[in-house]
């Protein structure tokens, strides 16, 4: 069976390229972010902004006490931070409730709404005890009844103070100026997370992007509810309290289930990903339906454990995905999930143990939960950009994680060990800062960076491309496509046949056309151009500066390749001159000495020397050899050497393809075989040498075995001979070992994987072209 020529194979494998005109037909099309996707994104963001301002408007109409409330260690509510000077004397007093004298037909009806520390809890989602939860609802129901009787607008109520007479205070709507800065910060962060989820989903409506969008929407919802709760105080409507408890639970379950789906889909789909994703979502649905609105302590812990279990499952799946296809993004996401999982566990423990102090329980459920949710939202916000973010963003994400750990540890120290605020904060900062210093270098070195291509890196990349093209000319197109992607990050890169004199812009800058230089040695002489559409993923158009940069890159690459070809041509001519001089001078003199030899032994020695010189000059003159031709020369050379030493040669060879050897490969294999056979003759005193040469699936194996007296190769000292063998095998990227053979003898095994790509470490190229004719073998005997 004949082997097709390499050029024919390349032509068969190459797809049918569209013409340059066909590519340019779409050059005036708008990038996808200027089409329906941009309109959908703008509409979505505007809807989010409108929702935020509607919520702010609704909050501005809600009633608000003219002072702030603070929890005491004894579980009471203390007044502080009065808004008006007439109420300053109330600061430090203990508040028991609100009383409203409501006029009716029969007189005046007094309505009383008790105030308890439990009412300062922002959300029922984080109340573990079902009795406390029911009491929380009843207290808010009483406050809602009182405010319903009072009507809308500004009203006057009496505050019931402990060990002091009642005081009338005016309760008025919050107003826009009364909205806390924290509401706007959390609201804008929620809007940013919501926008990132929308961008990712619109960029590619895929299953993994849908999961990320669900994760982003759930975190945005968490932040929005926390922002609202911080402004309602004790006047939260009952419908909002029930809605908050239900949706906050749903958001937690949706976020963890979405993590499982992301883990099995990014960066590539795992086998059976649909089953994993379905199990994650069904588990979340089962937890939501089975917990029955968290009406028991057991159900609360089931939800917490379920979220932890789904997070562990996502981290495990990310680990498995990384083993299948290593990707830095997977490592980063896994670390963020692990940090969030650990802090979630610390937060749950702190809430559980914080029940011994009512004020600490309040701080943990309010500020601890808010800190964790802000960290989770920041992780969601930054995760799409970690693969291309600058170091400052990476440092920020790591510091955010450390801050979350510090806050969680602080709450846990206070709740479990009853430490003071200063002591607990000092210890938590010490531990988190120490952890940050320990893991910072390890984490930062593994974060995927995508910095801009500097001139130094560009020069290095061009040098590597030149070296690669020198070895394999047909890799030029693929190498340049990778380089253009790194330079401009376009939406599309196409390689099409065509010829252009210079780099050009088309479609008002939406398309950049870069001609590829035609270098010698390529199997195809067809000119090609690179067509780049929409720079920076469609976020901007190409400019004239981009065109000049691409032009300079191609010019420098062409100069480098031309210089290498000129150098290689000079080397080839110099080798040919040296081979000719050796042939004409040294060869002729050796031939004269052979005919004047005083005895047959010297004549035979000179004859072998002439044969070695002939092989050497052929190698110098020829730049490449076919493996079959080289094997014939090796067999003849070894046969003559062994016959002179009265030793038998047993030669075996198999090859599944007749490849072309470079000069480095040919020279190294020639000297390896000569050295091994010389050792078998000189040191082992062998009577028979067996040589097996096999090339199969681009794997070359060489075995030289003798029946001599050599034993224990592990104890040999490797001098110039064996050291030279090791050096040449390493030069070809292979491995070598010596083994004892029963009943006697030594076998040397040389194995070279990917032999066709092992051009050696020589600076000379491996161009495959027509070989130079060797000198006339007039002195062969």
């Amino acid at each position: 069976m004949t082997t097709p020529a390499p050029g024919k194979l390349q032509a068969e494998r190459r797809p049918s390229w569209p013409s340059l005109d066909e590519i340019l037909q779409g050059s005036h099309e708008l990038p996808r972010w200027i089409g329906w996707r941009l309109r959908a994104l703008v509409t979505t963001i505007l809807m989010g902004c409108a929702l935020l301002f509607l919520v702010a408007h609704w909050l501005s109409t809600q009633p608000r006490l003219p002072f702030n409330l603070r929890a005491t260690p004894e579980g009471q509510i203390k007044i502080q931070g009065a808004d008006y000077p007439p109420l300053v004397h109330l600061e430090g007093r203990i508040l028991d409730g609100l009383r409203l004298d409501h006029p009716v037909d029969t007189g005046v009806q007094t309505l009383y709404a008790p105030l308890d520390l439990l009412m300062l809890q922002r959300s029922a989602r984080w109340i573990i005890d079902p009795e406390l939860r029911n009491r929380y609802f009843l207290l808010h129901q009483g406050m809602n009844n009182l405010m319903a009787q009072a009507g809308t607008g500004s009203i006057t109520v009496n505050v019931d103070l402990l060990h002091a007479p009642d005081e009338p205070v005016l309760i008025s709507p919050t107003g826009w100026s009364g909205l806390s800065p924290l509401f706007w910060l959390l609201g804008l962060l929620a809007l940013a997370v919501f926008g990132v989820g929308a961008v990712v989903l619109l960029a590619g409506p895929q299953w993994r992007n849908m999961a990320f969008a669900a994760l982003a929407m759930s975190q945005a919802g968490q932040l929005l509810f926390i922002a609202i709760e911080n402004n309602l105080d004790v006047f939260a409507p009952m419908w909002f309290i029930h809605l908050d408890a239900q949706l906050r639970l749903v958001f937690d379950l949706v976020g963890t289930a979405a993590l499982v789906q992301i883990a099995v889909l990014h960066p590539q789909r795992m086998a059976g990903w649909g089953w994993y994703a379905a199990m994650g979502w069904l588990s979340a649905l089962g937890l939501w339906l089975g917990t029955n609105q968290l009406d028991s302590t057991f159900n609360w812990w089931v939800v917490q454990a379920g979220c932890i279990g789904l997070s562990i499952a996502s981290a495990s799946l990310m680990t498995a995905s990384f083993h299948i296809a290593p990707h830095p993004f997977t490592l980063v996401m896994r670390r963020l999930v692990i940090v969030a999982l650990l802090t979630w566990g610390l937060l749950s423990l702190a809430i559980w143990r914080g029940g011994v102090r009512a004020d600490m329980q309040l701080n943990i459920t309010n500020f601890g939960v808010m800190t964790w949710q802000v960290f989770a939202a920041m992780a969601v916000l930054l995760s799409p950009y970690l693969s291309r973010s600058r170091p400052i963003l990476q440092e920020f994400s790591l510091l955010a994680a450390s801050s979350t750990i510090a806050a969680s540890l602080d709450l846990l120290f206070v709740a479990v060990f009853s430490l003071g605020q200063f002591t607990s904060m000092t210890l938590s900062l010490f531990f988190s800062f120490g952890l940050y210093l320990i893991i910072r270098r390890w984490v930062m070195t593994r974060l995927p960076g995508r910095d801009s291509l500097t001139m130094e890196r560009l020069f290095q990349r061009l040098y590597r491309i030149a070296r690669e093209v020198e070895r394999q000319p047909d890799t030029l197109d693929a190498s340049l496509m990778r380089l253009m992607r790194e330079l401009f990050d376009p939406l599309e890169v196409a390689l099409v046949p065509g010829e252009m004199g210079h780099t050009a812009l088309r479609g008002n800058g939406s398309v950049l056309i870069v001609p590829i230089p035609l270098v010698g040695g390529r199997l195809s002489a067809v000119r090609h151009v690179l067509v780049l559409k929409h720079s920076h993923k469609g976020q901007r158009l190409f400019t004239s500066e981009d065109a000049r940069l691409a032009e300079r890159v191609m010019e420098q690459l062409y100069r480098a390749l031309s210089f290498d070809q000129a150098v290689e041509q000079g080397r080839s001519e110099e080798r040919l001159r040296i081979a000719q001089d050796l042939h004409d001078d040294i060869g002729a003199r050796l031939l004269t000495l052979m005919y004047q030899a005083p005895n047959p032994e010297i004549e035979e020695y000179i004859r072998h020397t002439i044969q070695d010189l002939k092989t050497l000059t052929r190698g110098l003159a020829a730049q490449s050899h076919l493996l079959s031709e080289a094997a014939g020369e090796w067999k003849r050379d070894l046969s003559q050497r062994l016959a002179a030493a009265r030793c038998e040669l047993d030669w075996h060879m198999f090859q599944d393809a007749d490849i072309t050897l470079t000069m480095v490969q040919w020279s190294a294999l020639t000297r390896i075989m000569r050295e091994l056979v010389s050792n078998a003759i000189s040191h082992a005193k062998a009577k028979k040498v067996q040589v097996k040469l096999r090339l199969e699936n681009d794997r070359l194996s060489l075995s030289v075995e003798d029946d001599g007296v050599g034993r224990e190769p592990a104890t040999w000292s490797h001098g110039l001979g064996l050291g030279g063998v090791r050096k040449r095998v390493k030069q070809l990227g292979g491995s070598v070992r010596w083994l004892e053979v029963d009943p006697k003898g030594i076998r040397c095994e040389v194995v070279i994987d990917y032999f066709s790509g092992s051009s050696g470490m020589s600076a000379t190229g491996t161009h495959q072209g027509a070989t130079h004719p060797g000198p006339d073998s007039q002195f062969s005997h």
Side-chain angles (χ1 to χ4, degrees):
M1 186 176 74
T2 59
T3 302
K8 185 175 181 181
L9 283 176
Q10 292 289 337
E12 291 176 353
R13 294 172 183 170
R14 178 170 296 160
S16 57
W17 301 108
S19 65
L20 182 59
D21 292 336
E22 292 174 348
I23 291 292
L24 294 180
Q25 283 179 357
S27 62
H28 294 278
E29 296 177 359
L30 295 176
R32 58 180 177 180
W33 286 115
I34 308 180
W36 68 269
R37 297 174 190 268
L38 180 60
R39 291 192 291 270
L41 177 62
V42 171
T43 303
T44 304
I45 299 299
L46 289 177
M47 291 175 59
C49 294
L51 176 62
L52 180 62
F53 279 95
L54 285 176
V55 169
H57 174 70
W58 172 72
L59 284 176
S60 68
T61 63
Q62 299 303 302
R64 176 180 176 273
L65 288 169
F67 42 72
N68 297 323
L69 303 178
R70 179 184 176 186
T72 66
E74 295 79 16
Q76 297 174 325
I77 299 178
K78 181 187 295 187
I79 297 175
Q80 70 172 16
D83 294 341
Y84 308 110
L87 300 177
V88 173
H89 68 283
L90 296 179
E91 292 185 0
R93 299 291 181 89
I94 302 301
L95 180 62
D96 276 346
L98 299 180
R99 180 175 288 104
L100 174 66
D101 295 329
H102 182 64
V104 294
D105 295 338
T106 60
V108 177
Q109 180 183 6
T110 300
L111 299 176
Y112 181 76
L115 285 179
D116 189 273
L117 190 64
L118 189 62
M119 292 189 69
L120 300 185
Q121 293 273 7
R122 301 281 170 77
S123 174
R125 162 71 177 89
W126 295 96
I127 301 177
I128 301 178
D129 191 342
E131 293 183 2
L132 292 179
R133 177 187 288 265
N134 292 332
R135 187 160 177 263
Y136 174 82
F137 290 140
L138 289 175
L139 288 171
H140 275 283
Q141 184 64 54
M143 184 61 67
N144 274 253
N145 293 336
L146 184 146
M147 298 306 296
Q149 292 295 330
T152 59
S154 299
I155 60 173
T156 301
V157 298
N158 295 316
V159 293
D160 185 13
L161 302 176
L162 182 66
H163 305 306
D166 295 352
E167 289 278 352
V169 296
L170 181 65
I171 298 178
S172 59
T174 301
W176 284 87
S177 61
L179 297 178
S180 65
L182 187 59
F183 167 78
W184 294 111
L185 289 176
L186 292 176
L188 292 177
L189 181 58
L191 185 61
V193 175
F194 172 77
V196 169
V199 168
V200 171
L201 181 60
L202 290 174
Q206 306 168 3
W207 285 110
R208 67 180 183 185
N209 292 347
M210 293 179 183
F212 181 84
L215 177 62
M217 302 304 174
S218 64
Q219 285 305 126
Q222 294 274 17
L223 294 176
L224 184 60
F225 271 92
I226 292 174
I228 296 173
E229 293 161 2
N230 274 279
N231 283 266
L232 286 177
D233 289 331
V234 297
F235 298 115
M238 286 304 300
W239 64 266
F240 177 80
I241 291 174
H242 289 291
L243 182 67
D244 174 88
Q246 283 295 308
L247 288 185
R248 294 285 293 276
L249 173 63
V250 170
F251 290 153
D252 288 334
L253 296 175
V254 167
T256 51
L259 280 177
V260 174
Q261 184 166 328
I262 293 173
V264 297
L265 290 175
H266 190 76
Q268 67 175 15
R269 295 186 176 183
M270 295 179 62
W273 68 270
W275 291 104
Y276 290 116
M279 289 174 61
W281 288 106
L282 289 176
S283 299
L285 180 62
L287 287 171
W288 181 63
L289 295 176
T291 53
N292 193 18
Q293 299 183 359
L294 303 180
D295 58 351
S296 68
T297 303
F298 176 77
N299 285 343
W300 191 89
W301 280 109
V302 166
V303 171
Q304 298 299 104
C307 293
I308 292 176
L310 288 173
S311 300
I312 293 175
S314 65
S316 303
L317 290 170
M318 289 176 186
T319 302
S321 175
F322 182 79
H323 288 313
I324 297 173
H327 195 282
F329 183 85
T330 307
L331 288 179
V332 174
M333 287 299 298
R334 185 180 65 181
R335 291 177 190 133
L336 290 176
V337 169
I338 291 175
V339 171
L341 173 64
L342 293 177
T343 51
W344 176 273
L346 289 174
L347 184 63
S348 301
L349 290 176
I351 292 175
W352 173 52
R353 294 295 300 167
V356 296
R357 283 184 53 182
D359 61 331
M360 186 50 57
Q361 178 85 1
L362 182 66
N363 291 333
I364 294 173
T365 53
N366 290 344
F367 301 108
V369 171
M370 180 178 65
T371 303
W372 189 92
Q373 294 293 353
V374 169
F375 163 72
M378 294 303 298
V380 173
L381 187 64
L382 295 178
S383 58
Y385 308 104
L386 281 176
S387 59
R388 60 178 63 232
S389 63
R390 296 182 180 273
I392 184 63
L393 291 181
Q394 297 173 350
E395 290 279 6
F396 176 78
S397 61
L398 191 58
L399 285 173
S402 302
S403 302
T404 305
I405 294 177
S408 301
L409 289 175
D410 176 40
L411 297 173
L412 187 63
F413 287 154
V414 174
V416 177
F417 303 108
S418 299
L419 300 178
Q421 275 190 330
F422 179 77
T423 304
S424 64
M425 180 58 69
T426 302
L427 288 175
S428 61
L429 288 177
F430 175 78
F431 282 117
S432 61
F433 186 67
L435 181 64
Y436 170 78
L437 293 179
I438 292 173
I439 69 173
R440 177 189 175 278
R441 182 175 181 84
W442 176 71
V443 173
M444 293 299 293
T445 53
R446 287 162 174 79
L447 281 174
R450 182 157 184 175
D451 301 329
S452 58
L453 193 63
T454 62
M455 294 307 297
E456 181 180 0
R457 290 180 56 200
L458 178 59
F459 176 79
Q460 294 174 354
R461 184 62 55 83
L462 286 175
Y463 179 80
R464 287 196 295 268
I465 291 177
R467 298 286 77 76
E468 184 178 358
V469 172
E470 188 179 349
R471 291 191 299 270
Q472 297 178 337
D474 281 348
T475 62
L476 176 63
D477 297 340
S479 300
L480 287 178
M481 289 180 72
R482 290 194 298 268
L483 180 61
M484 291 297 108
R485 284 186 183 277
E486 190 164 358
L487 273 176
F488 302 111
D489 196 19
L491 280 177
E492 300 177 19
V493 179
L495 178 71
V496 299
E499 185 171 355
M500 295 188 66
H502 301 280
T503 301
L505 296 174
R506 292 290 187 271
N508 295 322
S510 62
V511 173
L512 176 65
I513 304 175
V514 184
I516 296 179
L518 186 62
V519 297
R522 300 184 69 186
L523 296 176
S524 174
V526 179
R527 299 295 298 267
H528 289 84
V529 295
L530 286 175
V531 180
L532 286 66
K533 288 188 175 183
H534 314 314
S535 179
H536 287 74
K537 296 299 183 184
Q539 297 179 14
R540 72 175 184 87
L541 301 175
F542 291 102
T543 64
S544 57
E545 290 293 331
D546 296 331
R548 283 193 290 269
L549 175 59
E551 184 84 16
R552 288 195 296 268
V553 167
M554 294 302 169
E555 288 178 358
Q556 292 301 322
L557 180 61
Y558 179 77
R559 290 177 182 176
L561 293 174
S562 300
F563 176 78
D564 287 343
Q565 291 174 1
V567 170
E568 181 58 31
Q569 183 178 358
R571 288 172 177 169
S572 179
E573 293 175 356
E574 185 65 16
R575 287 196 300 267
L576 184 59
R577 185 190 64 79
I578 293 174
Q580 194 68 46
D581 290 345
L582 290 174
H583 170 269
D584 294 342
D585 297 337
I586 307 301
R589 294 188 183 187
L590 287 175
L591 189 61
T592 301
L593 287 176
M594 186 184 68
Y595 287 121
Q596 296 176 356
N599 53 61
E601 288 79 9
I602 294 179
E603 179 183 354
E604 186 67 19
Y605 179 80
I606 295 176
R607 179 180 292 109
H608 285 298
T609 303
I610 292 175
Q611 184 64 31
D612 292 344
L613 182 61
K614 174 185 175 182
T615 303
L616 176 62
T617 56
R618 183 182 294 112
L620 287 174
Q623 196 174 15
S624 59
H625 302 264
L626 288 176
L627 178 59
S628 57
E629 297 175 354
E633 294 180 0
W634 294 332
K635 182 178 180 182
R636 288 192 297 270
D637 180 60
L638 298 182
S639 297
Q640 292 176 1
R641 286 174 172 270
L642 293 173
R646 296 180 176 83
C647 186
E648 179 184 353
L649 173 64
D650 185 10
W651 175 274
H652 300 275
M653 180 181 175
F654 171 81
Q655 61 184 87
D656 58 1
D658 196 7
I659 66 174
T660 302
L661 303 178
T662 66
M663 191 186 72
V664 175
Q665 293 171 325
W666 177 86
S667 176
L669 290 174
T670 300
R671 285 163 174 76
I672 289 171
M673 291 187 192
R674 283 185 179 179
E675 181 61 33
L676 294 177
V677 170
S678 296
N679 288 340
I681 297 173
S682 304
H683 302 292
K685 310 300 181 184
K687 298 300 181 183
K688 181 179 180 180
V689 175
Q690 183 184 67
V691 178
K692 293 182 179 179
L693 183 64
R694 186 178 186 87
L695 177 66
E696 187 174 7
N697 296 328
D698 204 26
R699 185 175 188 265
L700 181 75
S701 59
L702 171 65
S703 171
V704 179
E705 180 181 329
D706 63 66
D707 60 353
V709 298
R711 307 300 291 174
E712 298 182 358
T715 63
W716 295 353
S717 60
H718 289 211
L720 294 177
L722 298 183
V725 172
R726 285 188 179 278
K727 179 180 178 181
R728 291 185 174 93
V729 172
K730 183 179 179 181
Q731 185 183 31
L732 297 178
S735 60
V736 59
R737 63 174 181 169
W738 283 266
L739 305 171
E740 291 187 6
V741 180
D742 292 330
K744 61 178 182 178
I746 296 294
R747 180 171 68 249
C748 178
E749 296 180 351
V750 176
V751 177
I752 304 171
D753 293 318
Y754 309 109
F755 181 69
S756 62
S758 62
S759 59
M761 304 301 293
S762 171
T764 60
T766 62
H767 299 290
Q768 297 179 8
T771 60
H772 297 283
D776 185 17
S777 58
Q778 62 179 354
F779 54 85
S780 62
H781 182 69

